[in-house]
Amino acid sequence: MSDLLKDPLILRQIIMDHYEYPRNHHLVEDETYHKAHMASESCIDDITVMAKIENNVIQDVCFDGIACTISTASTSIMSELLIGKTLEEATEIISEYYKMVELLPYDEEMLQEAVAFHQVGKQANRIKCATIGFKAIETCIKEHKHDQ
Amino acid sequence: MSDLLKDPLILRQIIMDHYEYPRNHHLVEDETYHKAHMASESCIDDITVMAKIENNVIQDVCFDGIACTISTASTSIMSELLIGKTLEEATEIISEYYKMVELLPYDEEMLQEAVAFHQVGKQANRIKCATIGFKAIETCIKEHKHDQ
Amino acid sequence: MFEVGKIRQDFPFLMKAEQADPQLVYLDNAATTLKPQSVIDAVVRYYTESSVNIHRGDYALSYEVSNAYEGVRKTVAKFIQCEPNEVVFTSGASAALNLVAYGYAEKVLKQEDVILMSEAEHASNVLPWFRVAEKTGAKIEYLPLDEEGVLTLEGFKEALHDKVKIVTLAHISNVLGAVVPIKEITALTHQKGAIIVVDGAQSVPHTKTFVKDWDVDFLAFAGHKMLSPTGVGVLYGKFELLQQMDPFLLGGGSNARFDKNGHVVLKNPPFKFEAGTPAIEGVLGLDAAICYIEALGFEAIEQHELELKHYTVEKLKQFKHIKLYNEKSQSGIIAFNVIGIPTQDVAAYLSSLGVMVRAGNHCAKLLSEIIHTQETVRASINFYNTKAEMDIFIDALKDITLEKCIDLIF
Amino acid sequence: MFEVGKIRQDFPFLMKAEQADPQLVYLDNAATTLKPQSVIDAVVRYYTESSVNIHRGDYALSYEVSNAYEGVRKTVAKFIQCEPNEVVFTSGASAALNLVAYGYAEKVLKQEDVILMSEAEHASNVLPWFRVAEKTGAKIEYLPLDEEGVLTLEGFKEALHDKVKIVTLAHISNVLGAVVPIKEITALTHQKGAIIVVDGAQSVPHTKTFVKDWDVDFLAFAGHKMLSPTGVGVLYGKFELLQQMDPFLLGGGSNARFDKNGHVVLKNPPFKFEAGTPAIEGVLGLDAAICYIEALGFEAIEQHELELKHYTVEKLKQFKHIKLYNEKSQSGIIAFNVIGIPTQDVAAYLSSLGVMVRAGNHCAKLLSEIIHTQETVRASINFYNTKAEMDIFIDALKDITLEKCIDLIF
Ligand SMILES: Cc1ncc(COP(=O)(O)O)c(C=O)c1O
Ligand SMILES: Cc1ncc(COP(=O)(O)O)c(C=O)c1O
């Protein structure tokens, strides 16, 4: 992993790929999904994330909306990263991700492709973009727990 | 007159006298009077002036309210000065008075005791006080003309 | 040690005032305050170094200014002891009071509900409530005050009843300087299920504010009365109340999106209340102002201001031609009249001797029935005033006469 | 002669910007403008020499500051060609638009009345009208715009009908810079007995305004978009309309007196709308700003700005990866996209090269249907910009790629 981290070309490739071909890029008409519309904080990015959580496991994540490269790519990566994870695992991954964007020590293994954003914290004004999807899934998880 | 103008002691006496014993200092319950409440410009002085105008002559002027020495004295003097005058004469007196407070040349004879305020223009912030009664009677005259 | 001589050097106005002939003595601090160099510098720094608009991170400088602006929310939150997202920036105390009246009270009050206030309130804490009453059918009731404008807990308890839904009170009155026991009153208010709005315009600059500990629901204050630029004020509101509250100003910056059919998605508090470009340098100046005040410390500020007040009151009490209205009040406001001389003439006379005080009803127009006078002269102290300045003021009053006042116009 | 090099020396920010590495190029003038030294000096002069509150003549300094403040009303009146008592100071353009919507429209509109506006309006000229519609039952209708956001007189005539009671339009759009033929539209509006509200936020700073000659009923604008401090705006209203209009903000300064029973005597316009302590130094700064602009003259300003706009558009047209949205508009706003790159990434990339532009929907969220894009990048020119600066901007766009944008985060 560490080698990969050192090669911006590969990291850029990951982001480009997720921006141009975002994964899980759709919404579903399904009441059993939780939904978070990240709209009431900023007037630029407008992303909706949906998540199906069952038996303590994130069964599915999907999203849609208008966003910049970093928002789109990071949300796409988040969706791949969290599908199939238990809520505890997911919470830990999210927390490691936040550490990374804050430029604190973090667990590379856990974050997989998301390490593409390991330097985003140096562009403080893009942190919002790189975390919007993670904020959204947090909201879904919170809502799920609240419903239990 | 000119001598009198030069003696502040006499002028002060005139103002003191009109402040402590204001003439025509009452209001009347009479629909035939015009009424001007000088309240909507400032929140300090609160003077109401009433005037009865008949046959083109100012038959009566009276006033009441809360005001500073200069407002009270100048309104009292105004009331004495204008009672019995035709509207043309009154308008001319008012206009001479305004010239005086603006420190422009004016007709001393016409202003009688009102010359006590001949220097008030040097204290620009007191001009409002020295003219409030005159502004009020102007409003009454305007209203009267409007009603004709 | 509180060294007022050193403090005064931070205020360019005071340095000039001391050199003027006659020396200028500024005792109208309840109207607005002078600015220290650090506040002036913060404003100038914005103009010369940042100068861009906020709330967008499209480019580095905009991001920096936005961050600095949001940083002031944290400074204010620490200053009054709440959370940053409970701090709404407004254009002043009046705007803050209008916001809570319009956005909260007009929304929740119903016919027969009661708004309880005192007759010592400033127009900015009266007129918005009159409108609420008119729009909702709620009624205004007044709290009993003693002849120094003081509200007692007993008086408050008697006036409070089940129909009261909102209590609105100045923590410190701008006319009589009476200090309200906010914490106790808040507890009583909450016992009845009502909410309390505190007008802190005169208190926040002079005494430590603890909104959380006091548990007040809303608190309004103005920057310019505490060393900051004009054009900036604050409404504190408990977050859950802010969430319920409607915005007053609508426009750019307060919404996330809207469509042709009138569907509007507002941002979360506090942003949903901040439509339009705010007073950016005003807010940055407020930050410097708060830093300045905190460096001095409220303990020292209060002690100094009360000392000057008591010193002056003791002297003025000896003048038979002076009537004092608030001898006992524990704040730096001195309300008085010179017997037989209208307030405006007194102020003009003092002005001719360099002393700046305020005359009139001080926008608290309901108070006359309580103190039995339509108007007062008000001298209001800030921490940068000195005993020497109070002496100039006292001396000026010593031999004031109606004749001297009138002679000013010759 | 319009010597931009000399003009730039009046702007401390620009002097620093030229020395920065990379050189900073400010092209977000539609958001807010930089301040010349004369405006900064006016603000600092207030803090150091006057510093007191206005609207009372109790002492000499207060009288002087009040006079200076009222003097700015005359300056503004001369600037937009109206009477001083038709100039209401507000906290910004948004506050001015809220005031006319709340104070006038909400009072006079009835169910079924129509408010006519365009889809290019800024949120601050949309959301207040949504509220009016909600409160009164009036309906909002939209004017037809062409694909450059331009409103034609023919289109306006077709959309206008007898139920239209209010037309509200930006004279110059903040997204596409389209200029509306205000005088003709005002005449047509008046023929139907409707009144017109003009959002002059983007026009008053850049082109001469003649409210009387145009016969517009209301006009709103912001100081900070025309060199002045933030926190100050203006609502012009015909005096007889201002007399009819209710205040929006209530409080000290706007009323002459009131009593316990809710009877309030408001002052005459414009004072009845100005509750609370205003942005005093903001207003004094606005005076200096207007003087500065008038000394340059709008003829020279417009000529220079349009020259830069056309120069830039001609260059950008040659780039296949750039889509321009408003080639033809006669103002200094350039709206574009880089094909395949989100606006925020474009702005961030330009920022990395020192160029400051705005990304997004620019608070004009209804426009997307017209120009078929949700977001644009906006470069907006002011008179102090130079061809050399535009070249930096153009060069930066020449070889922008998605890869380069993404590489910024490494
Ligand atoms: C007690 C009180 N409330 C409210 C206000 C209004 O403050 P501002 O004029 O800053 O809006 C004042 C200021 O005079 C005040 O003294
Ligand atoms: C067309 C238009 N109207 C209104 C506004 C609002 O101005 P302010 O933010 O100064 O209230 C703006 C500023 O962005 C604008 O461009």
Side-chain angles (χ1 to χ4, degrees):
Chain A
M1 199 62 148
S2 293
D3 292 349
L4 199 147
L5 273 188
K6 277 171 205 132
D7 189 349
L9 277 184
I10 292 179
L11 296 183
R12 182 222 278 170
Q13 200 43 54
I14 293 174
I15 294 175
M16 289 280 285
D17 187 48
H18 278 274
Y19 169 66
E20 293 184 318
Y21 311 101
R23 322 298 197 266
N24 305 303
H25 195 237
H26 61 268
L27 296 179
V28 292
E29 295 278 348
D30 186 336
E31 295 275 302
T32 67
Y33 278 66
H34 292 283
K35 191 172 177 173
H37 184 193
M38 301 306 279
S40 59
E41 293 287 355
S42 118
C43 46
I44 312 180
D45 293 321
D46 184 357
I47 278 190
T48 301
V49 170
M50 296 182 77
K52 187 185 177 81
I53 307 174
E54 240 174 42
N55 303 328
N56 202 42
V57 171
I58 298 177
Q59 310 285 349
D60 189 27
V61 179
C62 56
F63 77 104
D64 200 2
I66 294 159
C68 68
T69 53
I70 297 178
S71 304
T72 304
S74 63
T75 304
S76 170
I77 291 174
M78 175 279 289
S79 72
E80 287 203 323
L81 203 52
L82 296 193
I83 290 174
K85 297 288 191 299
T86 66
L87 291 186
E88 293 70 32
E89 288 165 346
T91 306
E92 214 177 329
I93 291 169
I94 294 167
S95 137
E96 288 305 306
Y97 185 78
Y98 288 162
K99 284 186 203 158
M100 179 186 75
V101 300
E102 296 285 341
L103 304 173
L104 300 171
Y106 64 98
D107 184 334
E108 291 171 11
E109 291 303 326
M110 209 180 268
L111 291 186
Q112 306 277 339
E113 282 191 326
V115 298
F117 298 101
H118 74 117
Q119 297 264 52
V120 76
K122 289 192 184 161
Q123 301 287 319
N125 60 337
R126 304 308 293 272
I127 291 181
K128 237 186 195 167
C129 313
T131 53
I132 187 166
F134 288 83
K135 291 261 163 67
I137 193 89
E138 274 193 302
T139 305
C140 293
I141 294 173
K142 211 161 144 192
E143 220 179 73
H144 170 80
K145 287 187 176 160
H146 187 82
D147 288 354
Q148 294 298 294
Chain B
M1 200 60 147
S2 292
D3 292 347
L4 199 146
L5 273 188
K6 277 171 205 132
D7 188 349
L9 276 184
I10 291 178
L11 296 183
R12 184 221 279 170
Q13 200 43 54
I14 293 173
I15 294 175
M16 290 278 287
D17 186 50
H18 277 274
Y19 170 66
E20 294 185 317
Y21 311 101
R23 322 297 197 267
N24 305 303
H25 195 239
H26 61 268
L27 296 178
V28 292
E29 295 279 348
D30 185 338
E31 295 276 299
T32 67
Y33 277 65
H34 292 283
K35 191 170 175 173
H37 184 193
M38 301 307 280
S40 58
E41 293 286 354
S42 119
C43 46
I44 312 180
D45 294 322
D46 183 357
I47 278 190
T48 301
V49 170
M50 296 184 77
K52 186 185 177 80
I53 307 174
E54 238 175 44
N55 304 325
N56 202 42
V57 170
I58 297 178
Q59 309 285 349
D60 189 26
V61 179
C62 55
F63 77 103
D64 200 3
I66 294 159
C68 67
T69 53
I70 298 178
S71 303
T72 303
S74 63
T75 305
S76 170
I77 291 174
M78 175 280 289
S79 72
E80 287 204 323
L81 203 53
L82 296 192
I83 290 175
K85 295 289 190 299
T86 66
L87 291 187
E88 292 72 31
E89 287 165 346
T91 307
E92 214 177 328
I93 291 169
I94 295 167
S95 136
E96 288 305 305
Y97 185 79
Y98 288 163
K99 283 187 203 158
M100 179 185 75
V101 300
E102 296 286 342
L103 304 173
L104 300 170
Y106 64 98
D107 184 334
E108 291 172 10
E109 292 303 327
M110 211 182 264
L111 292 186
Q112 306 276 341
E113 281 192 327
V115 298
F117 298 101
H118 75 116
Q119 298 263 51
V120 76
K122 290 194 185 158
Q123 301 287 320
N125 60 337
R126 304 309 292 273
I127 292 181
K128 240 188 193 165
C129 313
T131 54
I132 188 168
F134 288 83
K135 290 262 163 64
I137 192 88
E138 274 193 302
T139 306
C140 293
I141 293 173
K142 212 162 142 190
E143 220 180 74
H144 170 79
K145 286 186 176 160
H146 187 82
D147 287 355
Q148 293 299 294
Chain C
M1 243 292 284
F2 189 81
E3 289 183 72
V4 65
K6 247 180 106 192
I7 287 167
R8 289 170 69 84
Q9 289 172 17
D10 297 330
F11 291 79
F13 181 96
L14 288 174
M15 291 301 96
K16 291 203 180 217
E18 286 183 5
Q19 301 308 317
D21 182 25
Q23 176 181 342
L24 294 176
V25 175
Y26 185 66
L27 290 174
D28 194 15
N29 293 290
T32 198
T33 52
L34 308 173
K35 319 301 174 202
Q37 191 63 46
S38 62
V39 169
I40 301 171
D41 288 346
V43 171
V44 171
R45 204 176 311 119
Y46 169 74
Y47 293 144
T48 53
E49 289 174 24
S50 352
S51 218
V52 309
N53 214 323
I54 58 155
H55 280 157
R56 297 295 296 276
D58 301 344
Y59 44 90
L61 202 49
S62 162
Y63 181 76
E64 276 168 34
V65 179
S66 304
N67 260 8
Y69 185 89
E70 290 306 318
V72 187
R73 228 184 276 282
K74 290 183 197 147
T75 306
V76 171
K78 220 177 119 242
F79 182 61
I80 61 170
Q81 313 242 314
C82 66
E83 297 301 318
N85 64 5
E86 298 176 317
V87 172
V88 181
F89 289 122
T90 68
S91 62
S94 299
L97 291 163
N98 275 269
L99 168 54
V100 58
Y102 178 92
Y104 182 80
E106 213 174 285
K107 194 173 175 185
V108 305
L109 289 194
K110 306 212 165 28
Q111 194 106 17
E112 302 306 311
D113 284 346
V114 167
I115 300 163
L116 194 56
M117 61 166 73
S118 96
E119 288 169 61
E121 297 308 309
H122 186 277
S124 296
N125 198 29
V126 176
L127 300 187
W129 303 105
F130 278 4
R131 180 159 66 187
V132 171
E134 200 184 300
K135 293 260 168 108
T136 61
K139 282 190 304 187
I140 308 265
E141 288 180 8
Y142 298 97
L143 287 160
L145 301 179
D146 74 11
E147 73 292 341
E148 281 210 5
V150 173
L151 172 65
T152 62
L153 278 181
E154 292 61 46
F156 185 74
K157 277 183 206 161
E158 268 168 43
L160 194 65
H161 56 81
D162 287 343
K163 293 210 160 156
V164 173
K165 291 293 172 311
I166 291 183
V167 172
T168 185
L169 278 177
H171 184 187
I172 297 185
S173 146
N174 67 306
V175 187
L176 295 177
V179 184
V180 163
I182 283 296
K183 189 170 176 174
E184 292 76 5
I185 280 182
T186 300
L188 293 168
T189 302
H190 287 163
Q191 276 170 26
K192 290 277 179 201
I195 69 131
I196 184 161
V197 177
V198 177
D199 176 355
Q202 298 295 343
S203 61
V204 174
H206 299 284
T207 190
K208 183 74 189 158
T209 301
F210 301 92
V211 288
K212 286 288 151 177
D213 177 49
W214 298 344
D215 201 27
V216 302
D217 300 290
F218 293 101
L219 171 90
F221 63 97
H224 71 93
K225 294 188 200 280
M226 44 183 280
L227 316 184
S228 110
T230 62
V232 55
V234 169
L235 179 69
Y236 156 79
K238 285 182 180 163
F239 191 74
E240 55 281 16
L241 294 175
L242 292 181
Q243 279 177 308
Q244 286 172 47
M245 191 161 90
D246 286 338
F248 182 54
L249 271 179
L250 302 174
S254 65
N255 68 92
R257 57 214 75 237
F258 55 84
D259 68 21
K260 272 179 89 150
N261 305 317
H263 301 136
V264 181
V265 181
L266 290 175
K267 292 189 184 172
N268 290 326
F271 310 108
K272 73 173 179 181
F273 305 108
E274 299 180 3
T277 303
I280 302 172
E281 67 274 42
V283 168
L284 299 176
L286 178 60
D287 199 66
I290 291 175
C291 289
Y292 192 93
I293 288 173
E294 291 200 315
L296 293 181
F298 275 114
E299 211 177 315
I301 288 174
E302 277 188 271
Q303 195 193 323
H304 180 74
E305 291 176 5
L306 286 180
E307 194 180 313
L308 291 186
K309 191 219 160 184
H310 293 142
Y311 172 80
T312 310
V313 161
E314 285 311 310
K315 297 268 180 156
L316 293 183
K317 267 167 78 172
Q318 292 161 27
F319 300 164
K320 287 216 196 68
H321 58 295
I322 302 273
K323 175 164 174 50
L324 289 165
Y325 294 95
N326 67 341
E327 252 183 66
K328 292 191 233 102
S329 81
Q330 294 299 305
S331 69
I333 288 175
I334 301 167
F336 66 98
N337 264 315
V338 180
I339 294 161
I341 310 183
T343 59
Q344 226 192 320
D345 297 271
V346 174
Y349 178 74
L350 291 176
S351 172
S352 74
L353 299 171
V355 179
M356 301 181 246
V357 298
R358 184 58 64 104
N361 52 36
H362 316 292
C363 295
K365 296 172 194 187
L366 300 176
L367 197 61
S368 54
E369 293 179 26
I370 309 289
I371 57 176
H372 308 298
T373 179
Q374 290 279 345
E375 311 201 328
T376 55
V377 185
R378 179 187 71 190
S380 49
I381 295 164
N382 207 1
F383 59 78
Y384 42 61
N385 288 122
T386 63
K387 215 169 250 191
E389 287 182 315
M390 300 320 288
D391 281 332
I392 294 177
F393 167 63
I394 295 161
D395 282 347
L397 282 176
K398 192 184 285 168
D399 46 14
I400 185 172
T401 61
L402 188 58
E403 284 81 356
K404 287 189 188 171
C405 291
I406 291 175
D407 283 352
L408 289 177
I409 69 160
F410 297 117
Chain D
M1 244 293 283
F2 190 82
E3 290 183 71
V4 66
K6 246 180 105 191
I7 287 167
R8 289 170 71 82
Q9 290 172 16
D10 296 331
F11 290 80
F13 181 95
L14 289 173
M15 291 302 94
K16 292 204 179 216
E18 285 182 7
Q19 301 308 317
D21 182 24
Q23 177 180 341
L24 295 176
V25 175
Y26 185 66
L27 291 174
D28 193 15
N29 293 289
T32 197
T33 51
L34 309 173
K35 320 301 175 203
Q37 191 61 47
S38 61
V39 168
I40 302 171
D41 289 346
V43 171
V44 172
R45 205 177 310 120
Y46 169 73
Y47 293 143
T48 53
E49 290 174 24
S50 351
S51 220
V52 307
N53 214 323
I54 58 156
H55 279 159
R56 298 297 296 275
D58 301 344
Y59 44 89
L61 203 51
S62 162
Y63 182 75
E64 277 168 34
V65 179
S66 304
N67 259 8
Y69 185 89
E70 290 306 317
V72 187
R73 228 184 276 283
K74 291 184 195 147
T75 305
V76 171
K78 219 177 120 240
F79 183 62
I80 61 170
Q81 313 241 315
C82 67
E83 297 300 319
N85 64 5
E86 297 176 318
V87 172
V88 181
F89 289 122
T90 67
S91 63
S94 299
L97 291 163
N98 274 270
L99 168 55
V100 57
Y102 177 92
Y104 182 79
E106 212 174 285
K107 194 172 175 185
V108 306
L109 290 194
K110 306 210 166 29
Q111 193 107 17
E112 302 305 310
D113 284 345
V114 168
I115 300 164
L116 195 56
M117 62 165 73
S118 97
E119 287 169 62
E121 297 307 311
H122 186 277
S124 296
N125 198 28
V126 175
L127 300 187
W129 303 105
F130 279 4
R131 178 159 67 185
V132 171
E134 203 185 298
K135 293 258 168 112
T136 62
K139 282 189 304 188
I140 307 264
E141 288 180 9
Y142 297 97
L143 287 159
L145 301 178
D146 76 10
E147 74 292 340
E148 281 210 6
V150 172
L151 171 65
T152 62
L153 278 181
E154 292 62 45
F156 185 74
K157 277 182 206 160
E158 268 167 44
L160 194 64
H161 56 80
D162 287 341
K163 293 211 163 158
V164 174
K165 290 293 171 311
I166 291 183
V167 173
T168 186
L169 277 176
H171 183 187
I172 297 184
S173 146
N174 67 306
V175 187
L176 295 176
V179 184
V180 163
I182 283 296
K183 188 171 177 173
E184 292 78 3
I185 279 183
T186 300
L188 292 168
T189 302
H190 288 162
Q191 276 169 27
K192 290 278 180 200
I195 69 132
I196 185 161
V197 177
V198 177
D199 176 355
Q202 297 296 342
S203 61
V204 174
H206 299 284
T207 189
K208 183 73 189 158
T209 301
F210 301 92
V211 288
K212 286 288 151 176
D213 177 48
W214 298 345
D215 202 25
V216 301
D217 299 291
F218 292 102
L219 171 90
F221 63 97
H224 71 94
K225 294 189 198 281
M226 44 184 280
L227 316 185
S228 109
T230 61
V232 54
V234 169
L235 179 69
Y236 156 80
K238 286 182 178 164
F239 191 73
E240 55 280 18
L241 294 175
L242 292 181
Q243 279 179 307
Q244 284 173 49
M245 191 160 91
D246 286 338
F248 182 53
L249 271 179
L250 302 174
S254 65
N255 68 91
R257 59 215 73 239
F258 55 85
D259 68 21
K260 273 179 89 149
N261 306 316
H263 301 134
V264 180
V265 180
L266 290 174
K267 291 188 185 176
N268 290 324
F271 310 107
K272 74 173 177 179
F273 304 109
E274 299 179 4
T277 304
I280 302 173
E281 67 273 41
V283 167
L284 300 176
L286 178 60
D287 198 68
I290 291 175
C291 289
Y292 192 93
I293 289 173
E294 290 200 316
L296 293 181
F298 276 114
E299 213 178 314
I301 288 173
E302 277 188 273
Q303 195 192 323
H304 179 74
E305 291 176 6
L306 286 179
E307 195 180 311
L308 291 187
K309 191 219 160 184
H310 292 141
Y311 172 80
T312 309
V313 161
E314 285 313 309
K315 297 269 179 150
L316 293 184
K317 267 167 77 172
Q318 292 161 26
F319 299 164
K320 286 216 195 68
H321 60 294
I322 302 275
K323 175 160 174 52
L324 289 166
Y325 293 95
N326 67 342
E327 251 184 65
K328 292 192 233 98
S329 80
Q330 293 299 304
S331 69
I333 288 175
I334 301 167
F336 66 97
N337 263 316
V338 181
I339 294 162
I341 310 184
T343 59
Q344 226 192 320
D345 296 88
V346 174
Y349 179 73
L350 292 176
S351 172
S352 74
L353 299 170
V355 179
M356 301 180 245
V357 299
R358 183 58 64 105
N361 52 35
H362 315 292
C363 296
K365 296 170 194 187
L366 300 176
L367 197 61
S368 55
E369 293 178 26
I370 308 290
I371 57 176
H372 308 296
T373 178
Q374 290 280 346
E375 309 201 330
T376 55
V377 186
R378 179 187 70 189
S380 50
I381 294 164
N382 207 1
F383 60 77
Y384 43 61
N385 288 122
T386 63
K387 216 171 251 188
E389 288 182 314
M390 300 320 290
D391 281 333
I392 294 176
F393 168 62
I394 294 161
D395 283 347
L397 282 176
K398 193 185 283 167
D399 46 13
I400 185 172
T401 61
L402 189 58
E403 285 81 354
K404 287 188 187 171
C405 290
I406 291 175
D407 282 354
L408 290 178
I409 69 159
F410 297 118

